[in-house]
Amino acid sequence: MSEIQVRLTRRAALLGAGATALGAGVASSGTVHAAAEKQGAMAAPVARYHIGSFEVNTLLDGAVTVGEPQKTFGMNVDASTFSQASSDNFIPDDSFKAFFTPTLVNTGQELILFDTGVGEGGRPARGNMRAALMSAGYTPEQVDVVVITHMHPDHIGGLMEAGAPAFPNARYVTGQKEFDFWSAMDPEANGVTKLMAKNVKPLAEKMTFLGDGGSVASGITAVAAHGHTPGHTLYMLEDGGQQLLLAADLANHYVWSLAHPTWEVRFDMDKEAAAATRQSVLSMLASDKVPFVGYHMPFPSVGYVSTEGSGFRYVPASYQLNL
């Protein structure tokens, strides 16, 4: 379903088949070979899908392992309930892996990037979206539009690189309500406002501000999903009779917020509104069988939602979007 492939070369096959004989030969001859040189970091992961004529690339900015997950997820349930849900889904209750996944869409007319990752300050564990973009075959200079779903640092951190716009030829799009909320605050108020002053406001003259139902480009529509932040916005892709929802931070974990939409998430600014939004959008995805990209879902971050009891179940996509 993606461009991440394992290729078995003829040389590798021959080496595998001859491993026993090779080992015996070394032992009998007494020859000692130098240790194979380590190859270093691999190319940043990229997964590629198609929605109608749109090419959709999910780009892994990075992933980190975090302890004490109930300080972030399921804050309003008791520890035994949290542990049981974790055990039922074959995951530990004392740590989790957080993924960060911007999305690059080539419509055939424009190259559109949704969110920019953590940026240079998060390297090496995060901030690798630029490398992933280039692994996908594109350059930052080719990006025509950068869309910001909301102003949290892991979404706006990559707007600048070495003090200059990271995507020098792009125009920018974000939600009007989101921009207005954060820009009205003292730039020194918190980490978000500080980074917004550094990364977002210098680009404001090149920005288009949307409301619910606004259009980024033909076939790409803004969907208000407030709660995580005051102007948190999703984007629906539609082309050739197919749909895909770019769900941003609607659900930040595939079990502890997607499967249990009423469980509180620390990063949701309005927890009651965020839970209501999750319930509504996840119900739509399940009933309409629309796939989605979740910014924090396990990479490659594309899947479906099905109903399960009073909640939902995450179903990772396999080959459906590349048939």
Coordinates of all heavy atoms in Angstrom, one line a residue, residues 89-91 251-260 296-298 312-314:
N89 N -5.8 -4.4 23.9 CA -5.2 -4.0 22.6 C -3.8 -4.3 22.4 O -3.1 -3.8 21.5 CB -5.5 -2.6 22.4 CG -7.0 -2.3 22.1 OD1 -7.4 -2.4 21.0 ND2 -7.7 -1.9 23.1
F90 N -3.2 -5.2 23.3 CA -1.8 -5.7 23.2 C -0.8 -4.6 23.2 O 0.2 -4.7 22.6 CB -1.7 -6.5 21.9 CG -2.7 -7.6 21.7 CD1 -3.9 -7.4 21.0 CD2 -2.5 -8.8 22.3 CE1 -4.8 -8.4 20.9 CE2 -3.5 -9.8 22.2 CZ -4.6 -9.6 21.5
I91 N -1.1 -3.6 24.0 CA -0.1 -2.5 24.2 C 0.2 -2.3 25.7 O -0.7 -2.6 26.5 CB -0.5 -1.2 23.6 CG1 -1.9 -0.7 24.1 CG2 -0.5 -1.3 22.1 CD1 -2.3 0.6 23.6
A251 N -7.8 12.6 17.0 CA -7.6 11.6 17.9 C -6.1 11.4 18.0 O -5.5 11.1 16.9 CB -8.3 10.3 17.5
N252 N -5.5 11.5 19.2 CA -4.0 11.5 19.2 C -3.4 10.1 19.6 O -2.2 10.0 19.7 CB -3.5 12.5 20.3 CG -3.6 13.9 19.7 OD1 -4.0 14.1 18.6 ND2 -3.3 14.9 20.6
H253 N -4.3 9.1 19.8 CA -3.8 7.7 20.0 C -4.9 6.8 19.5 O -6.1 7.0 19.7 CB -3.5 7.4 21.4 CG -2.8 6.1 21.6 ND1 -3.5 4.9 21.7 CD2 -1.5 5.9 21.8 CE1 -2.6 4.0 21.9 NE2 -1.4 4.5 21.9
Y254 N -4.5 5.7 18.8 CA -5.5 4.9 18.2 C -6.3 4.0 19.1 O -7.4 3.6 18.8 CB -4.8 3.9 17.1 CG -4.0 2.8 17.7 CD1 -4.5 1.5 17.6 CD2 -2.7 2.9 18.3 CE1 -3.8 0.4 18.1 CE2 -2.0 1.9 18.8 CZ -2.6 0.6 18.7 OH -1.8 -0.5 19.2
V255 N -5.9 3.9 20.4 CA -6.7 3.2 21.4 C -7.2 4.2 22.4 O -8.4 4.4 22.6 CB -5.9 2.1 22.1 CG1 -6.7 1.6 23.3 CG2 -5.5 1.0 21.2
W256 N -6.3 5.0 23.0 CA -6.7 5.8 24.2 C -7.5 7.1 23.8 O -8.0 7.7 24.8 CB -5.5 6.1 25.0 CG -4.7 4.9 25.5 CD1 -5.3 3.8 25.9 CD2 -3.3 4.8 25.6 NE1 -4.3 2.9 26.3 CE2 -3.1 3.5 26.1 CE3 -2.2 5.6 25.2 CZ2 -1.8 3.0 26.3 CZ3 -1.0 5.1 25.4 CH2 -0.7 3.8 26.0
S257 N -7.6 7.4 22.6 CA -8.5 8.5 22.2 C -9.5 8.2 21.1 O -10.6 8.6 21.1 CB -7.8 9.8 21.9 OG -6.9 9.7 20.9
L258 N -9.0 7.4 20.1 CA -9.9 7.0 19.1 C -10.9 5.9 19.5 O -12.1 6.1 19.4 CB -9.1 6.5 17.9 CG -9.9 6.2 16.6 CD1 -9.1 6.3 15.3 CD2 -10.5 4.7 16.6
A259 N -10.5 4.9 20.1 CA -11.4 3.8 20.6 C -12.3 4.3 21.7 O -13.4 3.8 21.9 CB -10.6 2.6 21.0
H260 N -11.8 5.3 22.5 CA -12.5 5.8 23.6 C -12.6 7.3 23.5 O -11.9 8.1 24.2 CB -11.8 5.4 24.9 CG -11.6 3.9 25.1 ND1 -12.7 3.1 25.6 CD2 -10.6 3.1 24.8 CE1 -12.2 1.9 25.6 NE2 -11.0 1.8 25.2
H296 N -1.0 11.6 14.5 CA -0.3 10.9 15.5 C -0.6 9.4 15.5 O -0.3 8.6 16.4 CB -0.6 11.4 16.9 CG -0.2 12.8 17.1 ND1 1.2 13.2 17.1 CD2 -0.8 14.0 17.2 CE1 1.3 14.5 17.3 NE2 0.1 15.0 17.3
M297 N -1.3 8.9 14.4 CA -1.5 7.4 14.3 C -0.2 6.7 14.0 O 0.7 7.3 13.5 CB -2.5 7.2 13.2 CG -4.0 7.6 13.4 SD -4.8 6.8 14.8 CE -4.8 8.2 16.0
P298 N -0.1 5.4 14.3 CA 1.1 4.7 14.0 C 1.4 4.8 12.5 O 0.5 4.6 11.6 CB 0.8 3.3 14.4 CG -0.2 3.4 15.5 CD -1.1 4.6 15.0
F312 N -15.1 3.0 19.2 CA -14.6 2.8 17.8 C -13.4 1.9 17.8 O -12.8 1.7 18.9 CB -14.3 4.1 17.1 CG -15.5 5.1 17.1 CD1 -15.7 6.0 18.1 CD2 -16.5 5.0 16.1 CE1 -16.8 6.9 18.1 CE2 -17.5 5.8 16.1 CZ -17.7 6.8 17.1
R313 N -13.1 1.4 16.6 CA -11.9 0.6 16.5 C -11.1 1.2 15.3 O -11.7 1.5 14.2 CB -12.2 -0.8 16.2 CG -11.0 -1.7 16.0 CD -11.4 -3.2 16.0 NE -12.3 -3.6 14.9 CZ -11.9 -4.1 13.8 NH1 -10.7 -4.3 13.5 NH2 -12.8 -4.4 12.9
Y314 N -9.8 1.3 15.4 CA -8.9 1.8 14.3 C -8.6 0.6 13.4 O -8.1 -0.5 13.9 CB -7.7 2.4 14.9 CG -6.7 2.9 13.9 CD1 -7.0 3.8 12.9 CD2 -5.4 2.4 13.8 CE1 -6.1 4.3 12.0 CE2 -4.4 2.8 12.9 CZ -4.8 3.7 12.0 OH -3.9 4.2 11.1

